[in-house]
């Protein structure tokens, strides 16, 4: 802190460059501390988080009006603090303000906005912590975990979103569809649709609904395979959630499954193109109404193989499509009949 001299000279504060200047609290022109802060802000020499006395960091006091310097304890009244986040670049190339940190996501129960204490027992420089400091960090991690899941809704979301991530990873579902599934589950939880049902069944139903809404070809059988509950419970949860939330889900296009099935059986490109054409004709004529879309896709691929003189076994297509051979034998004559009708 500055000291008064016997000659009545104003207080001086040593700058970091070795020069002295008069204290802003008793300057010759009668400037106040607040005016000094504002003037320095306009000049661009110091940010509004800088103490006018020692250039230390200013922090808000409890009354949210005054700011207090961390180094010298000076109280600055009515000082507007600059809380903008600046992007740090080691080479100094970034001159514009930018937000840093990950964006919010619906795949975390708190949307990724809360703090998280790392598990490493090292400081910012990589040095090992002392035994006392490690015990303190373990206590902080424990309390941080308790605060992050302090309510039943938080614990429910953590479990459900973890299940959605696990199943989506097993099925290869893109991140955008996972986000949609997270939004659907949050809406179901807010509307009380999870009460009386297993969390896993509603989470699986949300993932299946999201895959249909985003046009990602995943059947109810595939989604139920990676779920922890039976398929019948998933189907019931899906019907309930889609009805109560009013989800606008279009019927699944059988053509969206042809590419995956054709890749598994390793058919030619000509057969795959013909299968897509036959499936499109079947959809236009309403053959797919009330039938499993995967069965239509498998039947169209088998019918295309017969027309292209390619040897594909019904058993191989049924195994790749996860349907029975009887389904293929029932579907492909209907598809060929719709094609004949279209040609006439």
């Amino acid at each position: 802190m500055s000291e008064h001299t016997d000659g009545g000279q104003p207080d001086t504060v040593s700058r970091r460059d070795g020069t002295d200047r008069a204290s802003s609290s008793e300057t010759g022109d009668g400037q106040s501390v607040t005016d000094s802060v504002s003037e320095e802000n306009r000049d661009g020499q110091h940010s509004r988080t800088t103490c006018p006395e020692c250039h230390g960091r200013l922090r808000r006091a409890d009354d949210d009006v005054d700011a207090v310097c961390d180094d010298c304890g000076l109280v600055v009244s009515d000082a507007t603090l600059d809380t903008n986040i600046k992007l740090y670049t080691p080479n100094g190339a970034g001159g514009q303000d930018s937000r840093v940190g990950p964006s919010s996501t619906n795949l975390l129960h708190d949307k990724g906005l809360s703090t998280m204490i790392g598990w490493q027992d090292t400081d910012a420089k990589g040095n090992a912590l002392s035994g006392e400091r490690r015990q303190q960090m373990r206590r902080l991690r424990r309390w941080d975990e308790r605060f992050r899941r302090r309510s039943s809704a938080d614990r429910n979301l953590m479990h459900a979103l973890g299940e959605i991530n696990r199943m989506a990873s097993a099925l290869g579902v893109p991140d955008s569809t996972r986000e949609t599934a997270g939004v659907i589950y949050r809406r179901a939880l807010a509307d009380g649709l999870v009460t009386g049902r297993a969390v896993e069944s509603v989470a699986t139903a949300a993932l299946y609904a999201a895959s249909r809404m985003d046009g990602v070809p995943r059947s109810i059988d595939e989604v139920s395979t990676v779920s922890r509950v039976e398929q019948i419970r998933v189907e019931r949860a899906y019907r309930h959630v889609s009805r109560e939330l009013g989800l606008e889900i279009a019927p699944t296009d059988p053509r969206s499954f042809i590419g995956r099935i054709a890749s598994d059986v390793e058919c030619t490109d000509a057969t795959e193109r013909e299968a897509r054409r036959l499936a499109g004709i079947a959809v236009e004529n309403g053959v797919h109404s009330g039938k499993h879309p995967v069965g239509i896709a498998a039947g169209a691929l088998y019918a295309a193989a017969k027309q292209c003189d390619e040897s594909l076994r019904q058993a191989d297509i049924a195994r790749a499509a996860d349907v029975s051979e009887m389904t293929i034998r029932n579907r492909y004559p209907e598809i060929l009949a719709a094609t004949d009708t279209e040609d006439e």
Side-chain angles (χ1 to χ4, degrees), residues 97-116:
D97 295 345
S98 175
R99 290 192 175 274
V100 296
S103 58
S104 61
T105 175
N106 287 295
L107 296 177
L108 296 175
H109 76 285
D110 53 6
K111 296 188 177 182
L113 301 179
S114 64
T115 59
M116 183 177 297

Side-chain angles (χ1 to χ4, degrees), residues 13-21 55:
V13 178
S14 297
R15 290 180 177 269
R16 295 181 179 179
D17 56 2
T19 60
D20 294 336
R21 66 171 177 84
H55 310 303

Side-chain angles (χ1 to χ4, degrees), residues 24-25 31-38 52-53 74-77:
S24 59
S25 59
Q31 276 187 320
S32 64
V33 173
T34 305
D35 295 337
S36 177
V37 174
S38 301
E53 289 285 347
L74 176 68
V75 178
V76 181
S77 302

Side-chain angles (χ1 to χ4, degrees), residues 56-170:
R57 183 180 180 182
L58 294 180
R59 293 183 180 273
R60 283 289 186 192
D62 295 336
D63 55 7
D64 201 33
V65 174
D66 298 334
V68 181
C69 177
D70 286 344
D71 296 336
C72 66
L74 176 68
V75 178
V76 181
S77 302
D78 300 330
T80 303
L81 297 182
D82 185 7
T83 58
N84 290 334
I85 302 176
K86 296 182 181 296
L87 179 63
Y88 170 74
T89 51
N91 56 4
Q96 298 181 350
D97 295 345
S98 175
R99 290 192 175 274
V100 296
S103 58
S104 61
T105 175
N106 287 295
L107 296 177
L108 296 175
H109 76 285
D110 53 6
K111 296 188 177 182
L113 301 179
S114 64
T115 59
M116 183 177 297
I117 300 178
W119 56 269
Q120 298 88 348
D121 288 331
T122 56
D123 59 13
K125 296 182 180 180
N127 300 324
L129 300 178
S130 62
E132 181 180 357
R133 185 65 67 180
R134 286 198 301 269
Q135 292 180 1
Q136 180 183 10
M137 294 304 298
R138 280 195 293 269
R139 291 194 296 269
L140 289 175
R141 291 190 193 99
R142 183 163 55 249
W143 279 105
D144 179 65
E145 186 67 19
R146 290 174 180 175
F147 278 115
R148 289 178 63 234
R149 55 170 70 191
R150 59 182 178 272
S151 65
S152 60
D154 291 336
R155 293 190 292 270
N156 187 302
L157 273 176
M158 291 181 70
H159 180 49
L161 297 177
E163 283 293 301
I164 290 175
N165 271 320
R166 180 188 64 82
M167 293 184 293
S169 298

